[in-house]
């Protein structure tokens, strides 16, 4: 798969179904199919960026938008007691889909250290 043809790019193009909870012109958010918490939502940019380390200064507004989108979704999901936002960067961090994505995890007590 090329960076233009990841699982997440196919979800953006509606070639693969997903439980979409939010969408705008820059981002898409959907429920993880293998949730690690009662609420586990992925927020992805529509621009294909393989991993956080590949973001460039021109992505400044997009990166901020992704974080504010995560905040908005957490509020809409009722996560007023807290939630975790995770970005895995590369294989050693556990990234398996090389399209930048933020995990919103909530609905249970989180542990530290995370892994």
């Amino acid at each position: 798969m090329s960076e233009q043809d990841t699982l997440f790019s196919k979800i953006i193009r509606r070639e693969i179904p997903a439980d979409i909870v939010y969408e705008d012109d820059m981002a898409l958010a959907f429920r993880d199919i293998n949730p690690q918490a009662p609420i586990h939502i992925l927020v992805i940019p529509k621009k294909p960026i393989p991993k956080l380390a590949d973001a460039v200064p021109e992505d400044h507004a997009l990166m901020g938008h992704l974080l504010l989108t995560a905040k908005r979704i957490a509020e809409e999901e009722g996560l007023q007691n807290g939630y975790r936002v995770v970005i895995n960067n590369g294989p050693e961090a556990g990234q398996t889909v090389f399209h930048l994505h933020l995990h919103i995890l909530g609905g249970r007590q989180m542990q530290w250290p995370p892994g």
Side-chain angles (χ1 to χ4, degrees):
M1 275 191 217
S2 72
E3 70 179 351
Q4 298 290 325
D5 195 32
T6 66
L7 175 68
F8 294 167
S9 294
K10 290 180 179 184
I11 290 172
I12 291 168
R13 295 190 307 259
R14 305 299 199 273
E15 295 171 6
I16 296 175
D19 184 1
I20 296 170
V21 298
Y22 178 84
E23 182 174 17
D24 62 28
D25 61 331
M26 298 172 71
L28 182 81
F30 53 93
R31 296 190 189 283
D32 194 297
I33 61 169
N34 185 27
Q36 301 301 304
I39 296 174
H40 187 171
I41 296 171
L42 303 177
V43 181
I44 64 173
K46 288 187 174 179
K47 176 184 177 182
I49 301 170
K51 60 187 183 301
L52 182 59
D54 296 319
V56 295
E58 293 77 23
D59 295 321
H60 180 266
L62 174 60
M63 302 309 284
H65 181 74
L66 294 174
L67 286 171
L68 290 173
T69 297
K71 173 188 176 274
R72 176 182 180 166
I73 292 166
E75 289 171 352
E76 290 173 358
E77 292 288 321
L79 296 174
Q80 67 275 2
N81 290 327
Y83 56 94
R84 182 170 286 166
V85 177
V86 175
I87 299 173
N88 298 320
N89 184 72
E92 286 189 16
Q95 185 177 4
T96 57
V97 177
F98 287 86
H99 184 124
L100 176 66
H101 54 286
L102 288 70
H103 297 259
I104 303 169
L105 299 153
R108 68 169 170 81
Q109 179 66 48
M110 298 289 147
Q111 303 299 313
W112 195 261

